[in-house]
Amino acid sequence: MIEYAIIALLVLSILLFFISFFAKDDVKQIEEQLDQLTLSFAQETYQLKKRLQVLEEELLIRHESPPHIAPAHDSDCHASASIKNRVFMLYKQGLSYEQIARETALTTEEVRMILRGLAR
């Protein structure tokens, strides 16, 4: 009698063991979702830090503008001075002409012209 109970329990345990391999793993799905959320959060944090750094640089540029750049009186001149300051700061950070052009949406030749104009 006890042998039948042991055999029945052994068969049941083997059956449950095989079922566990084919069962859906909810914990794994939750872990994947958590990983995705963590990655998206990290990306958003990086983008925010980069935007904040750009804003800080622009504020720093306004306070430390080179003396040879005249203050702007209209919006076009102000935008132009802001771009020149940004190009100058990126150049001071050691970026190449191509990298500065990508960052400021200018052409490489425009970046060169701005830096030549600032050097005078």
Side-chain angles (χ1 to χ4, degrees):
M1 179 77 171
I2 204 156
E3 294 89 19
Y4 293 120
I6 292 175
I7 291 173
L9 288 175
L10 184 61
V11 170
L12 181 63
S13 66
I14 292 172
L15 181 66
L16 289 175
F17 181 71
F18 284 118
I19 290 174
S20 70
F21 282 114
F22 299 110
K24 208 174 196 182
D25 192 10
D26 293 331
V27 174
K28 190 173 186 178
Q29 288 178 348
I30 292 172
E31 285 177 351
E32 288 176 5
Q33 289 176 352
L34 183 62
D35 287 342
Q36 289 175 354
L37 285 174
T38 304
L39 276 175
S40 66
F41 180 71
Q43 288 173 343
E44 289 176 14
T45 304
Y46 173 75
Q47 290 174 351
L48 286 173
K49 284 182 179 179
K50 191 165 184 158
R51 288 179 187 168
L52 182 62
Q53 182 182 11
V54 169
L55 288 174
E56 287 174 346
E57 287 174 1
E58 288 179 4
L59 288 174
L60 184 65
I61 289 171
R62 289 182 188 155
H63 292 291
E64 295 180 358
S65 63
H68 60 277
I69 297 178
H73 295 292
D74 61 348
S75 62
D76 291 337
C77 289
H78 187 273
S80 178
S82 174
I83 290 173
K84 287 178 183 179
N85 287 337
R86 177 142 169 77
V87 168
F88 182 68
M89 288 300 291
L90 291 172
Y91 181 74
K92 279 177 46 176
Q93 292 177 1
L95 272 67
S96 68
Y97 292 145
E98 292 80 16
Q99 291 171 326
I100 295 171
R102 273 187 258 128
E103 287 286 327
T104 58
L106 298 171
T107 64
T108 307
E109 190 58 35
E110 289 172 329
V111 170
R112 285 189 181 127
M113 295 294 287
I114 289 172
L115 289 173
R116 280 188 205 140
L118 291 175
R120 292 182 191 165

